[in-house]
Amino acid sequence: MLRISEMLVLVALVSCVASTGKVNKHKPWIETSYHGVITENTDVVLLDPPLVALDKDAPIPYAGEICAFQIHDPEAPFEAVVLNGTSGEGQLRARGLVDCELQKEYTFIIQAHDCGAGPGGSGGKKSHKAAVHIQVNDVNEFAPVFRDAQYRAAVTEGKIYDSILQVEATDQDCSPQYSQICNYQITSSHTPFAIDRNGNIRNTEKLSYDSVQQYEIQVTAWDCGQKRAAHSVPVHINVKPVCKPGWQGWNKRVDYEPGTGSKQLFPKMHLETCGGPLSSVRATVELQTSHIGKGCDRETYSEKSLQKLCGASSGSTDLLPAPSASTNWTASLVTDSGRDSDLIFRFDGRQAAKVPDSVVPQNLTGQFTIATWMKHGPSPGLRAEKETLLCNSDKTEMNRHHYSLYVHNCRLVFLLRRDFTQVDTFRPAEFHWRLEQICDKEWHYYVINVAFPVVTLYVDGVTYDPYLVTDDWPIHPSEIDVQLTVGACWQGGEVTKPRFTQYFRGSLSGLTIRPGKIESQKVISCLQACKEGLDINSLESLGQGIKFHFNPAQSILVMEGEDLENMNVALRKVSYINSRQFPTPGIRRLHISTSVQCFGEDTCLSIPDLEAVVMVLQPSEPRFTIGGVERLSRPASDFRAPPGLSLFRDLHIVSTVTRAGDAAARHTARRQGVLEEIIHNLDYCDILVLGEELRPDQESLTLQRSSLLGKHLDTTNSTSGMSIYGVDSMSNYEQVIQQVRYHNWRPALLTERRFRLTCSELNGRYTSNEFNLEISVLHSSPAVGHVNHLVAPPQFMQVHHPAMVHSMYPSHNSGLPSAATVVIVMCIAVLVVVVVFGIYRIHLTHQQEVNVCDKAKETDMGWDDSALTITVNPMENLEEPQGAEEEEEASEEDEEEDEDEEEDDDITSAESDDSEDEKDVQLPRMHQPSKRSQKEWDHRQ
């Protein structure tokens, strides 16, 4: 039995061993190759196909299970793990973060292992080897970076470039999607440049060296993942000038400070000719001032003041004065103040004015002058009509023109018909001039000098003879009145209703007629002279061979020379000058044209014209002040005396300006806002009577004509005041005004008169303060027993209130006690004596106190009569004997003392205070032996 058992065990073991050898019969199976993808900065590899190992021994435990995947590359940063041994599913992982920028792909061998025959893994089998290819996917973690920190290029002006330069940016990402630059962009705005996708920069317009010499633009880049460069790159593009002929080294604006004289316009200018040989250079500099005043900066004084200043003949009649009560015929005309108080009348074909007969000069002889400023342009559709500036025609019944000045088809025509009383033959009557100035819409000064039969026209100081003169018969004499008109011609006859006709269209100013004399060309040139223009500094230093020419107004300068360097030196000396002390501020334009000739050719180079401006800065406005005595009190004899009363003897006129704190002021050590006294001219001063006008039968203002000798001054006088006019210095005006006197033949009827004085510069552009003067008459009073000096002071004497005396003589009360203080001290002294001597002497002490108080009262009353200080007028001539005068004074003092004693009881507290002040003044007289000697002491004071 035992034997059978052993045999069975042996058989079982053999069968077990046999069965064991048959369990793990198959190898695991995997794919022959795998392709995987892993994104950088992650650890899971996505394989295609998935990592799965199969074993045919399944489902036998161990033999049919997968226990591991083995990678045959120790440097590969991956590991394979079994997710499920039964199903054979596995996963490929990265042992650390992979970086595409370091390595984009990996290739290695992998095998699968089963679990063997049992738990120990013995008898395990391997699969075949499979190749694994892994690609690392990129992440857009890097921004584009430019290769250079900045880029520079240079271009020549005036050209369009396809590519000026190329900028280049790179990206450190590994994939083409993120490492390639897909776009470039210029971030600077308003630049004449563009950039393409490859980084090529080009200009979109022609560049100019004169405008901009260097451009700086900012450029950024984008990769294909739309990631922008962290920092833009600067690109500097320099513009190089091409050699082109023209003036260089000049400024487009030149600032002119008033009062600085002549200033160079082009101190560093030179002509660039690009090395070409030249035979001559001609340059024209034009100063354009037509928009300033009447064509340029001229003196803006009134016509009368200018005529006086220029030495014109007296007796001219202003036909277009400023509207006023006495010159009201221009009130209906349209005025344009223009600039700097210029009085300009604008006519639009509907306005005209009749000049009163009292103003019209009646004594036109064979010589007279008509002058006016005129601005006129062509009138479309009205070429056949006459436009009348001035016309003297029949007032009624007939339509005869005696003389007139009109424009017809841009021609100026002067008509002069003589009477039979003057000439009885066929004589010249119409004078025609055809000039460009008549219709150029600019201001010009026209003067017609008539020395019959010769008529001469001056335009801006230049003489023009008539191109056509027509004759006519004289006018038959008649009793018909004539009418002088401005702006049209009066047609009083041959029509149903008298009316104006032949209206003028344009602007007029300063229309005057001067009968009996013609003006000289020197005076005419002075009246229309511009105070600004072009100038040349140091003519003697001009180079040889330089020719130059100015027009009469010095607004155009033409220079010509053969040597280029000499021409450059000459142009640098061209300057602007304005001789007015207070010029009109604003822009004056400059235009420079140049023509160049080469050897054997008419013109070889084209020089572009230049446009520049002169900016005349605002002048410091003067503030002139009139000062002097504002109140005069004089005795009646001064008003009746033949010389009269001098009103403005202490007059003084001071003008100041406030200097600005600019560089020039600092250079001359002036501080900003500092007042500086200046000297300039005045053009009129008016003395106006305030209140009731002067009564010619008893009062007047007078001025000796001798005081005007040697001065450019004249006067007009009326019951409303006196006007002194003419361009002259402030000192001359002071001297003349100080000679103005006031006469009154009946001063007894006058209580006071008030006058107002004002002065002007530049026809009212700058005016002074209003200086008021009040004069009064010191009237005498009838003799009475007592005179209250506070109410009616004696004739030829001035009464000073004690407070005024105190202010005039402050030393009189220094260190002196008042009367009340003396009384108080005395009373206190008496009281002390009473206390010391005791009660037993009360009666005696009381008697002493009464005596002391009485004495103080007497002293107080004695001072009351000196409450007023009487100062004798030093102008009075006392002819009475000294003894009689002393007796009269003593008598008056006695009367005053009695009167003061009667009024002593009525003194109020306020009067007591005044009395104390009065006593302060009179204390030095307390110890005088008598009132008589006190009065004598007062006279000596």
Side-chain angles (χ1 to χ4, degrees):
M1 190 70 180
L2 179 60
R3 192 177 195 100
I4 293 172
S5 299
E6 291 178 350
M7 288 296 291
L8 290 172
V9 170
L10 181 61
V11 171
L13 289 172
V14 172
S15 61
C16 181
V17 171
S19 63
T20 300
K22 294 179 181 179
V23 166
N24 194 7
K25 295 188 298 183
H26 301 94
K27 298 179 181 178
W29 179 89
I30 58 177
E31 298 288 346
T32 57
S33 63
Y34 294 90
H35 295 275
V37 176
I38 184 172
T39 301
E40 61 178 346
N41 301 326
T42 61
D43 59 351
V44 178
V45 180
L46 300 179
L47 290 177
D48 184 26
L51 182 61
V52 176
L54 301 177
D55 197 322
K56 293 182 179 182
D57 295 325
I60 300 174
Y62 301 108
E65 297 178 357
I66 303 302
C67 284
F69 291 98
Q70 181 182 5
I71 295 176
H72 295 277
D73 188 351
E75 296 182 357
F78 298 98
E79 61 180 1
V81 296
V82 178
L83 298 180
N84 190 332
T86 302
S87 62
E89 183 180 358
Q91 187 179 59
L92 192 63
R93 299 176 179 174
R95 292 198 298 267
L97 297 179
V98 294
D99 191 348
C100 178
E101 286 73 33
L102 296 178
Q103 188 170 342
K104 298 180 180 180
E105 296 178 349
Y106 293 90
T107 301
F108 51 85
I109 301 300
I110 191 172
Q111 279 185 314
H113 292 256
D114 61 16
C115 296
S122 60
K125 293 186 178 181
K126 303 177 183 179
S127 68
H128 58 271
K129 295 180 178 180
V132 180
H133 301 279
I134 297 177
Q135 179 180 350
V136 181
N137 282 348
D138 190 19
V139 175
N140 195 7
E141 56 185 335
F142 294 98
V145 177
F146 287 94
R147 291 187 180 275
D148 298 321
Q150 61 180 352
Y151 292 85
R152 293 186 178 275
V155 296
T156 302
E157 64 174 345
K159 296 177 60 177
I160 297 294
Y161 290 82
D162 294 334
S163 177
I164 297 175
L165 78 159
Q166 184 182 20
V167 298
E168 185 180 0
T170 60
D171 195 314
Q172 295 182 10
D173 289 313
C174 65
S175 65
Q177 179 183 1
Y178 299 135
S179 63
Q180 291 184 0
I181 306 301
C182 285
N183 192 23
Y184 291 93
Q185 182 181 357
I186 296 176
T187 59
S188 301
S189 59
H190 307 295
T191 60
F193 299 97
I195 190 170
D196 61 15
R197 297 171 60 89
N198 297 323
N200 295 307
I201 297 177
R202 60 183 178 85
N203 58 318
T204 57
E205 62 185 50
K206 293 181 180 181
L207 307 180
S208 172
Y209 175 83
D210 296 333
S211 300
V212 182
Q213 287 79 40
Q214 185 185 69
Y215 292 90
E216 180 180 342
I217 59 176
Q218 298 291 328
V219 177
T220 189
W222 305 78
D223 62 19
C224 294
Q226 296 302 308
K227 195 175 188 67
R228 181 179 175 175
H231 302 285
S232 300
V233 64
V235 178
H236 302 276
I237 300 177
N238 295 322
V239 181
K240 298 186 301 180
V242 296
C243 184
K244 58 182 180 180
W247 293 102
Q248 298 181 3
W250 56 280
N251 295 323
K252 292 185 177 180
R253 168 171 167 164
V254 180
D255 289 341
Y256 181 80
E257 182 72 27
T260 56
S262 179
K263 182 169 184 178
Q264 288 180 271
L265 297 175
F266 318 108
K268 299 180 180 179
M269 189 170 71
H270 65 278
L271 181 61
E272 177 61 57
T273 61
C274 299
L278 306 178
S279 61
S280 66
V281 178
R282 179 187 176 92
T284 302
V285 183
E286 181 180 0
L287 179 68
Q288 299 173 350
T289 60
S290 59
H291 62 290
I292 302 295
K294 293 194 287 289
C296 66
D297 212 359
R298 295 182 170 93
E299 296 293 5
T300 56
Y301 297 114
S302 65
E303 285 299 318
K304 285 187 177 181
S305 298
L306 282 176
Q307 290 169 5
K308 191 75 173 179
L309 182 65
C310 292
S313 302
S314 60
S316 66
T317 301
D318 190 356
L319 302 181
L320 285 176
S324 66
S326 59
T327 57
N328 57 3
W329 71 88
T330 60
S332 62
L333 300 180
V334 178
T335 60
D336 181 5
S337 297
R339 298 174 174 85
D340 295 348
S341 303
D342 275 348
L343 184 60
I344 297 172
F345 292 88
R346 290 189 291 111
F347 298 85
D348 61 359
R350 291 175 294 180
Q351 294 93 11
K354 293 181 180 180
V355 181
D357 294 339
S358 59
V359 178
V360 177
Q362 303 295 333
N363 55 345
L364 286 185
T365 61
Q367 289 189 345
F368 61 93
T369 299
I370 299 176
T372 185
W373 286 95
M374 183 178 72
K375 180 180 181 181
H376 180 264
S379 301
L382 300 174
R383 293 183 58 83
E385 294 187 11
K386 296 180 180 179
E387 300 179 51
T388 302
L389 286 73
L390 179 69
C391 181
N392 185 276
S393 60
D394 291 332
K395 185 176 292 187
T396 57
E397 299 183 23
M398 303 184 70
N399 187 28
R400 298 178 302 175
H401 295 184
H402 296 261
Y403 61 87
S404 66
L405 179 64
Y406 61 90
V407 175
H408 188 210
N409 292 336
C410 291
R411 292 176 298 168
L412 186 66
V413 182
F414 176 64
L415 170 67
L416 179 60
R417 299 285 302 278
R418 310 300 299 272
D419 293 339
F420 261 109
T421 56
Q422 297 172 318
V423 65
D424 58 357
T425 60
F426 206 58
R427 302 301 298 271
E430 279 191 342
F431 303 84
H432 299 250
W433 292 271
R434 182 187 290 115
L435 303 173
E436 295 180 357
Q437 294 92 322
I438 297 173
C439 285
D440 64 356
K441 297 183 180 181
E442 302 291 344
W443 280 105
H444 299 284
Y445 188 55
Y446 298 83
V447 178
I448 295 179
N449 272 348
V450 178
F452 195 80
V454 178
V455 178
T456 306
L457 172 67
Y458 294 85
V459 180
D460 299 332
V462 180
T463 306
Y464 295 93
D465 293 326
Y467 81 93
L468 176 64
V469 178
T470 59
D471 297 341
D472 201 349
W473 289 102
I475 294 178
H476 293 281
S478 67
E479 300 297 329
I480 302 175
D481 294 333
V482 294
Q483 176 66 63
L484 182 63
T485 56
V486 177
C489 200
W490 180 253
Q491 186 173 0
E494 302 178 359
V495 290
T496 57
K497 182 180 180 180
R499 60 185 175 87
F500 285 111
T501 184
Q502 300 176 7
Y503 284 98
F504 177 71
R505 295 170 178 83
S507 298
L508 297 176
S509 178
L511 177 59
T512 60
I513 294 182
R514 178 177 293 102
K517 190 174 182 179
I518 62 175
E519 288 296 356
S520 65
Q521 187 169 4
K522 180 180 179 181
V523 172
I524 295 173
S525 299
C526 174
L527 290 173
Q528 61 86 37
C530 288
K531 296 300 180 180
E532 65 178 340
L534 300 173
D535 192 19
I536 298 178
N537 289 335
S538 60
L539 289 172
E540 63 278 0
S541 62
L542 287 179
Q544 294 181 353
I546 300 297
K547 301 176 183 179
F548 65 91
H549 171 71
F550 285 101
N551 68 334
Q554 286 194 219
S555 61
I556 299 177
L557 169 63
V558 179
M559 305 188 76
E560 186 174 359
E562 298 179 355
D563 185 77
L564 178 60
E565 186 57 34
N566 287 342
M567 278 293 295
N568 289 334
V569 174
L571 262 295
R572 294 187 193 119
K573 295 181 180 296
V574 177
S575 60
Y576 170 81
I577 188 171
N578 194 317
S579 60
R580 294 189 66 189
Q581 190 171 11
F582 306 107
T584 303
I587 289 177
R588 278 76 164 161
R589 300 191 181 279
L590 286 169
H591 180 81
I592 301 138
S593 58
T594 310
S595 61
V596 177
Q597 291 184 351
C598 298
F599 292 100
E601 301 180 21
D602 293 337
T603 58
C604 57
L605 294 176
S606 176
I607 307 297
D609 293 350
L610 300 186
E611 299 289 343
V613 296
V614 177
M615 175 61 73
V616 179
L617 304 180
Q618 180 74 36
S620 299
E621 296 191 358
R623 181 178 182 181
F624 48 101
T625 307
I626 303 174
V629 177
E630 297 181 354
R631 187 183 298 272
L632 291 176
S633 297
R634 292 291 184 269
S637 61
D638 287 1
F639 293 84
R640 288 192 300 263
L645 178 63
S646 179
L647 296 179
F648 306 100
R649 177 172 296 177
D650 299 322
L651 177 82
H652 56 272
I653 304 175
V654 178
S655 182
T656 58
V657 294
T658 302
R659 295 297 183 184
D662 53 9
R666 290 192 295 270
H667 179 70
T668 56
R670 299 192 193 108
R671 297 188 304 275
Q672 184 175 3
V674 174
L675 288 177
E676 179 180 319
E677 184 173 346
I678 63 171
I679 297 175
H680 57 80
N681 292 331
L682 301 178
D683 58 354
Y684 70 80
C685 287
D686 290 337
I687 302 173
L688 179 66
V689 178
L690 300 181
E692 184 182 359
E693 292 189 354
L694 298 177
R695 288 164 286 189
D697 58 335
Q698 70 179 46
E699 57 184 340
S700 67
L701 290 174
T702 60
L703 178 64
Q704 295 293 332
R705 298 295 300 180
S706 59
S707 61
L708 302 178
L709 295 178
K711 302 178 179 64
H712 299 288
L713 299 178
D714 207 341
T715 63
T716 58
N717 201 351
S718 66
T719 58
S720 60
M722 177 182 290
S723 179
I724 304 171
Y725 63 90
V727 182
D728 214 327
S729 64
M730 293 189 299
S731 60
N732 282 349
Y733 265 91
E734 281 185 3
Q735 296 172 15
V736 172
I737 296 174
Q738 289 169 359
Q739 301 300 318
V740 175
R741 294 181 177 273
Y742 171 71
H743 288 261
N744 194 309
W745 299 278
R746 299 177 185 176
L749 303 178
L750 178 68
T751 56
E752 67 175 14
R753 265 294 183 192
R754 292 183 297 124
F755 300 91
R756 175 173 294 165
L757 173 63
T758 58
C759 293
S760 159
E761 164 67 338
L762 294 177
N763 202 18
R765 179 180 175 185
Y766 305 117
T767 57
S768 70
N769 62 312
E770 294 181 348
F771 177 76
N772 295 320
L773 172 66
E774 181 178 330
I775 61 173
S776 58
V777 181
L778 297 175
H779 296 284
S780 60
S781 302
V784 294
H786 172 73
V787 179
N788 186 346
H789 295 283
L790 292 177
V791 178
Q795 188 177 4
F796 306 120
M797 303 181 71
Q798 292 182 340
V799 179
H800 298 283
H801 191 276
M804 296 173 60
V805 177
H806 173 78
S807 64
M808 294 170 61
Y809 306 102
S811 60
H812 285 185
N813 68 346
S814 59
L816 299 178
S818 64
T821 304
V822 174
V823 174
I824 293 174
V825 171
M826 293 176 64
C827 292
I828 293 176
V830 172
L831 182 60
V832 172
V833 172
V834 171
V835 175
V836 172
F837 284 94
I839 302 302
Y840 67 95
R841 301 191 61 180
I842 292 176
H843 181 70
L844 182 59
T845 305
H846 176 70
Q847 188 67 29
Q848 292 175 350
E849 182 178 358
V850 171
N851 295 336
V852 171
C853 291
D854 292 340
K855 187 181 299 184
K857 183 176 181 180
E858 292 175 0
T859 303
D860 196 316
M861 293 174 62
W863 287 335
D864 286 344
D865 64 349
S866 61
L868 295 175
T869 301
I870 301 176
T871 304
V872 178
N873 191 330
M875 298 178 63
E876 180 183 7
N877 296 325
L878 300 178
E879 299 177 355
E880 297 181 0
Q882 182 68 24
E885 179 183 332
E886 293 176 354
E887 291 177 1
E888 183 180 355
E889 290 175 353
S891 175
E892 290 178 357
E893 288 173 358
D894 293 340
E895 291 175 3
E896 291 174 0
E897 181 176 358
D898 296 338
E899 185 74 14
D900 292 339
E901 289 177 356
E902 292 175 3
E903 296 176 354
D904 184 52
D905 296 335
D906 297 331
I907 297 177
T908 63
S909 59
E911 292 172 342
S912 300
D913 295 338
D914 294 339
S915 178
E916 291 178 4
D917 294 338
E918 295 163 5
K919 289 173 184 177
D920 289 343
V921 179
Q922 302 300 328
L923 272 177
R925 309 175 189 172
M926 289 177 59
H927 300 291
Q928 298 296 331
S930 66
K931 295 180 181 290
R932 183 185 184 89
S933 60
Q934 175 181 346
K935 191 67 175 180
E936 293 173 354
W937 183 85
D938 288 344
H939 282 294
R940 290 193 298 270
Q941 294 295 322

